[in-house]
Amino acid sequence: MFPSPRIYEVITRFRQGKVLNFCNGVMYKCFCNVGESDKLPDWVKPSSAADSQEDDFVIPSNMNWVGGLKAPDEKFDSKHGSFGIVDNDVAIVTRILMGDFAMPEDVVQALNGCDSCPSNSLVDKMLKRFSNDWVCAFGLFKWAQTNIRYKHSADAYDSMVDILGKLKQFDIMWGLVEEMVKVEGLISMRTMSKIMRRLAGAGRWVDAVAVFREVERYGLTRDILCMNLLLDTLCKERCVEHAQDVFLEFKNVIPPDQHTFNILIHGWCKARRLDNARSIMEDMGDHGFLPCVISYTSFIEAYCRDKDFRKVDSLLNEMQENGCPPNIVTYTIVMHSLGKAKETNEAMEIYEKMKRNSCVPDTSFFNSLIYILSKAGRLQDAHKIYEEMSRSGSSPNVTTYNTMIAAACEHSQENSALKLLHEMEESGCKADLKTYAPLLKMCCRKKWIKVLSYLLNDMVRKDISLDLGTYSIIIHGLCKSEQLEKACQFFEEVVLKGLIPFNSTFNLLVDVLERKKMEEAKRRVQDLMMQAENSEKSCRSVSFV
């Protein structure tokens, strides 16, 4: 059963409006349909005065190297606005999925008209690329099923279940799960973990627990592994009370292990209810388990959040006395917290203390140190740590690059930010949404629309799907740059994907439209928001059976 198509009727009327001339594209097509004269690398040159006045865009003269970001075996498709190997199945299917679709059945019909055949690699790539667009993802999934020579893998089913759960399409998700039940071997604990996580993340604690209770119905064992998965999910979604209830109900049926207690200790510490955490630690001893470095580190993390560094020092000493010395995770948490509290010198002392205790720094520790120095404005020192990582045997990872890129953007070092993106690609490190968020924000702030267009296309090429938070960053930036038509286009795209725009994003866009006396556009944005909220309410009415 699919959601009501009423919202799509409103969107159609909205798109036909004369005031804003909304584009017919989905995803990032309002910026991706650039002309041949705008493509990289030709445009990455100093712009003339006339060009800058027309586009409100001036590329720095020393950034000609940015053209090297584009992979040499790919070329830009100016008609469809995407980077990719032209004429292969990935490029063809991507072009089709970047059209307008109200329902998954429309996607199936569109794909039936192409010559591409589904394969495991194609489906996996498309599910990643459209992981934040359930209509396109599910349409592709159903289309692939119609081919008698193709059979979905368990991973494809799990990915589709996760996408539907993430976007709160729970009725469709459960229908897919029932379909999986009919095929032996498709449902695994990984499947159940994704379902419980998405239900808990949507505030459906009762439904998440119900999945655990009924797990044997799906051919799985309700054992300590399954219970720990549920407890961990509930604690991470800030519902430790429900986790505690499950623990008390089942602890005599499913004997807990050390990990069970550490999950609950961390959950109570995260909720700043340390008395409950201490009670769990006592219960841990009664069951024959001694507190370990994970147990102590949970308390240290809680004290760090409260900036009670005296208790942190006391507990660090207690750990040493009890023969349970702090590990690299413990030291990283303490150093990171001191840095966030703007006690940079004290944070560096932790670094020295760690070395005295023969604790070898890892990539996460270096990442934290880079973050601290960057936040303190010591970008040169941060870059030295970045260079030191490889020499010490710790290779930079996605968090390292994300931290450096965000710091460069924050301190108006645009060249450095884009060079880091280039270095990231050259090193083979896969970028994610957090990599691009500060870059997109920077482009909006500086009105670098062509660079923004390139980055959005680059995300498509790397199978990175925009989520609600990233859309909000772009819309906020475009509003502040007074590029309201583009901001409204992205707002429309959010709703087309079945997402509910943040109230802050909606209010900002409406306020700017009102200030610019664009009354009709404002009313249409309000109408879209109302319909999106109604669609969300209808989805919430479906519960686990």
Side-chain angles (χ1 to χ4, degrees):
M1 174 176 142
F2 294 104
S4 168
R6 287 175 56 202
I7 184 171
Y8 299 108
E9 295 174 8
V10 174
I11 292 171
T12 301
R13 293 197 303 270
F14 187 27
R15 198 181 296 118
Q16 291 171 349
K18 298 179 181 179
V19 175
L20 296 179
N21 188 27
F22 278 74
C23 68
N24 290 326
V26 296
M27 210 145 66
Y28 344 112
K29 291 202 299 184
C30 50
F31 283 163
C32 292
N33 289 337
V34 294
E36 191 71 25
S37 61
D38 295 329
K39 67 180 181 179
L40 286 176
D42 297 338
W43 61 263
V44 189
K45 300 174 183 177
S47 299
S48 66
D51 289 339
S52 65
Q53 289 175 1
E54 180 181 352
D55 293 339
D56 200 15
F57 168 87
V58 178
I59 193 75
S61 59
N62 58 347
M63 284 173 60
N64 295 316
W65 58 269
V66 179
L69 284 171
K70 183 169 69 65
D73 60 338
E74 297 181 352
K75 68 179 183 178
F76 186 73
D77 179 1
S78 62
K79 180 179 180 181
H80 297 280
S82 62
F83 281 98
I85 303 172
V86 178
D87 295 332
N88 69 0
D89 286 342
V90 170
I92 293 169
V93 173
T94 297
R95 288 193 202 115
I96 293 172
L97 294 183
M98 290 182 74
D100 283 345
F101 301 104
M103 306 292 282
E105 292 90 341
D106 300 333
V107 178
V108 175
Q109 185 176 356
L111 289 171
N112 282 338
C114 75
D115 295 329
S116 298
C117 294
S119 65
N120 290 120
S121 60
L122 174 65
V123 171
D124 289 345
K125 194 173 190 67
M126 291 299 101
L127 291 182
K128 289 177 183 177
R129 184 165 288 188
F130 293 89
S131 62
N132 289 303
D133 187 341
W134 78 268
V135 172
C136 284
F138 194 53
L140 171 99
F141 189 88
K142 301 302 288 185
W143 165 74
Q145 279 183 315
T146 63
N147 190 300
I148 59 174
R149 297 181 180 179
Y150 171 81
K151 184 178 179 181
H152 281 309
S153 66
D155 287 342
Y157 271 104
D158 285 348
S159 295
M160 196 65 246
V161 165
D162 193 50
I163 292 170
L164 292 169
K166 177 172 61 173
L167 297 173
K168 301 178 182 178
Q169 300 297 320
F170 293 115
D171 52 344
I172 305 175
M173 182 193 76
W174 283 121
L176 188 60
V177 171
E178 291 302 321
E179 182 180 310
M180 294 173 71
V181 171
K182 298 175 183 177
V183 183
E184 186 177 353
L186 278 183
I187 293 185
S188 66
M189 197 58 67
R190 182 170 178 261
T191 314
M192 292 295 106
S193 176
K194 290 180 181 297
I195 293 171
M196 290 189 292
R197 175 193 171 198
R198 294 307 181 186
L199 289 169
R204 296 186 172 203
W205 324 112
V206 176
D207 287 351
V209 175
V211 171
F212 170 70
R213 294 184 192 279
E214 299 291 330
V215 73
E216 292 177 345
R217 175 190 169 204
Y218 300 102
L220 303 173
T221 304
R222 195 172 62 189
D223 55 11
I224 187 59
L225 173 62
C226 185
M227 188 171 81
N228 285 347
L229 280 172
L230 174 64
L231 298 182
D232 187 57
T233 296
L234 293 173
C235 288
K236 286 179 178 177
E237 295 299 337
R238 302 184 183 277
C239 197
V240 64
E241 294 88 353
H242 285 274
Q244 179 79 4
D245 291 341
V246 172
F247 168 71
L248 294 175
E249 180 181 350
F250 288 95
K251 71 175 184 176
N252 294 326
V253 180
I254 305 174
D257 58 13
Q258 188 179 48
H259 185 44
T260 310
F261 291 104
N262 282 329
I263 289 171
L264 292 171
I265 289 170
H266 185 260
W268 286 119
C269 287
K270 188 176 179 181
R272 287 180 166 79
R273 292 169 64 174
L274 300 189
D275 288 342
N276 297 77
R278 293 187 188 97
S279 177
I280 292 294
M281 187 176 280
E282 292 175 5
D283 197 9
M284 185 180 189
D286 294 339
H287 280 75
F289 300 106
L290 292 175
C292 63
V293 64
I294 298 173
S295 318
Y296 284 113
T297 300
S298 294
F299 282 95
I300 285 177
E301 188 175 15
Y303 291 136
C304 283
R305 286 197 194 99
D306 294 335
K307 299 181 181 179
D308 191 345
F309 294 112
R310 287 186 179 181
K311 286 188 177 179
V312 170
D313 289 337
S314 175
L315 197 53
L316 287 173
N317 293 331
E318 182 182 328
M319 292 176 71
Q320 293 283 5
E321 293 170 1
N322 291 344
C324 184
N327 62 13
I328 186 63
V329 176
T330 316
Y331 284 120
T332 301
I333 289 171
V334 176
M335 186 185 70
H336 191 81
S337 299
L338 286 166
K340 288 182 69 175
K342 299 183 179 180
E343 297 185 23
T344 309
N345 292 333
E346 289 79 0
M348 300 306 291
E349 288 177 10
I350 293 293
Y351 184 23
E352 297 302 321
K353 184 175 183 178
M354 183 192 77
K355 289 191 290 185
R356 288 196 300 270
N357 291 332
S358 302
C359 189
V360 180
D362 61 3
T363 298
S364 295
F365 181 86
F366 281 120
N367 289 344
S368 183
L369 187 54
I370 289 171
Y371 174 84
I372 290 168
L373 293 170
S374 298
K375 281 295 182 182
R378 295 164 57 175
L379 298 191
Q380 287 187 343
D381 291 336
H383 198 76
K384 288 179 181 178
I385 297 296
Y386 165 69
E387 293 175 342
E388 182 184 332
M389 290 180 69
S390 296
R391 293 196 298 269
S392 67
S394 298
S395 300
N397 62 11
V398 63
T399 304
T400 314
Y401 286 109
N402 289 355
T403 303
M404 296 285 290
I405 288 172
C409 290
E410 185 177 347
H411 290 84
S412 299
Q413 295 188 2
E414 298 83 9
N415 288 12
S416 295
L418 291 170
K419 284 179 181 178
L420 283 163
L421 181 64
H422 180 51
E423 289 178 24
M424 188 176 190
E425 182 157 346
E426 290 292 309
S427 70
C429 184
K430 185 172 175 58
D432 60 17
L433 270 174
K434 291 183 179 179
T435 309
Y436 285 90
L439 293 166
L440 298 175
K441 189 175 182 179
M442 174 190 74
C443 289
C444 292
R445 185 177 67 249
K446 290 186 166 291
K447 301 181 182 180
W448 286 3
I449 302 307
K450 292 179 183 177
V451 177
L452 179 61
S453 173
Y454 168 74
L455 292 174
L456 290 171
N457 277 293
D458 197 42
M459 292 173 72
V460 174
R461 183 170 65 86
K462 294 174 181 174
D463 303 323
I464 301 172
S465 180
L466 289 184
D467 66 356
L468 184 55
T470 313
Y471 272 116
S472 298
I473 288 173
I474 296 173
I475 294 171
H476 279 242
L478 292 171
C479 284
K480 291 178 181 178
S481 300
E482 296 188 351
Q483 302 211 24
L484 301 185
E485 181 173 341
K486 292 183 176 67
C488 289
Q489 289 169 349
F490 273 100
F491 189 89
E492 176 195 25
E493 174 57 19
V494 172
V495 179
L496 272 170
K497 282 190 172 184
L499 302 174
I500 312 299
F502 293 132
N503 285 329
S504 57
T505 305
F506 166 70
N507 291 333
L508 174 64
L509 181 55
V510 167
D511 288 345
V512 176
L513 291 172
E514 184 175 358
R515 195 164 60 247
K516 294 295 182 180
K517 301 187 184 304
M518 300 172 68
E519 292 299 323
E520 185 177 349
K522 184 187 77 170
R523 286 192 298 271
R524 293 183 179 186
V525 167
Q526 290 171 328
D527 196 11
L528 263 183
M529 185 68 175
M530 180 181 66
Q531 294 298 324
E533 290 173 339
N534 289 340
S535 177
E536 170 74 358
K537 289 176 184 177
S538 67
C539 290
R540 286 181 179 176
S541 65
V542 181
S543 60
F544 174 74
V545 179

